[in-house]
Amino acid sequence: MRRWRGATVVACVAAGGLAGCSGDGGAGGAAPEGPGFMELLREGDAIQTEALSAGVADPAALPTSGRATYEGVIALGPSTQAGLPDALTLAGEMELQVRFDRDDLTGRASSFVTAADERVRGEVLFTGGRIDRAAEIDQGGIYTFETINASGSLTAPDGSQADVTLGYLNGNFSGEGAGYAGGRASVFLEDRATGEAFQLDGIFDTRR
């Protein structure tokens, strides 16, 4: 289940880079620019609350022309067998570019900050997105749109770097005129220095 409310927060330890996280969320170093971790989570919660109130949009009734920009929040944490993290450790700004006339979309996640309010440089680009107007979203695990490729890199507060090797978004539109878009996100990374592979899973919520 996607959730912002009551999400467990864990602070990433600088020595562990992006893959190593432990301890309790909270103080940390002051973020030099942009919204802080908890501010981003509160924004994501607010957007999701609006989207839930508006209701999931029927894929067959989505706009058939024009394009739209969606802006909001993405939050990620170390992957678990359940497919969603036990704790959120990284949050950032999320943007979707949707072409309703071509049934495709792309995403960009950037301006990341850890639960300790330390900046993580870089971005994740989600591409190869398609809208399925015949999606049976009343069935569990079925989504209106998905992306199948991702690229980019992230630099942790300690300077360690990881390259994005794979990633995807699965989501639905909500509200009249598809005013909201949100769902699940996964990002697979590889540490440049050690070659260690790891995965971050989480959620995203955006509005037009």
Side-chain angles (χ1 to χ4, degrees), residues 1-193:
M1 177 181 179
R2 293 194 305 123
R3 55 172 171 69
W4 294 92
R5 294 185 186 277
T8 304
V9 176
V10 174
C12 284
V13 178
L18 290 166
C21 298
S22 63
D24 297 320
E33 57 184 15
F37 184 84
M38 293 307 301
E39 182 180 352
L40 286 168
L41 260 58
R42 284 192 291 268
E43 180 183 352
D45 180 37
I47 296 174
Q48 187 183 84
T49 298
E50 293 175 11
L52 290 172
S53 177
V56 177
D58 179 357
L62 292 172
T64 57
S65 62
R67 62 184 72 188
T69 298
Y70 293 77
E71 296 180 335
V73 179
I74 184 171
L76 303 165
S79 178
T80 67
Q81 290 184 343
L84 282 175
D86 290 329
L88 299 174
T89 60
L90 193 67
E93 297 177 354
M94 186 72 190
E95 178 182 287
L96 296 179
Q97 295 289 339
V98 180
R99 290 285 304 264
F100 289 110
D101 56 339
R102 300 195 317 201
D103 285 347
D104 66 21
L105 72 152
T106 59
R108 176 177 180 265
S110 60
S111 301
F112 286 105
V113 61
T114 72
D117 273 340
E118 296 177 303
R119 291 289 154 188
V120 172
R121 300 192 306 276
E123 63 182 13
V124 180
L125 302 176
F126 298 93
T127 55
R130 298 297 300 169
I131 297 172
D132 182 2
R133 295 179 181 272
E136 298 179 356
I137 58 175
D138 56 334
Q139 311 263 345
I142 304 297
Y143 297 92
T144 305
F145 65 83
E146 66 175 355
T147 66
I148 59 174
N149 300 313
S151 61
S153 64
L154 298 176
T155 301
D158 68 344
S160 61
Q161 296 177 306
D163 294 311
V164 177
T165 59
L166 184 66
Y168 58 84
L169 304 174
N170 291 315
N172 291 311
F173 295 100
S174 298
E176 183 177 355
Y180 303 87
R184 297 175 60 169
S186 290
V187 180
F188 298 78
L189 302 107
E190 183 175 293
D191 188 288
R192 287 186 186 177

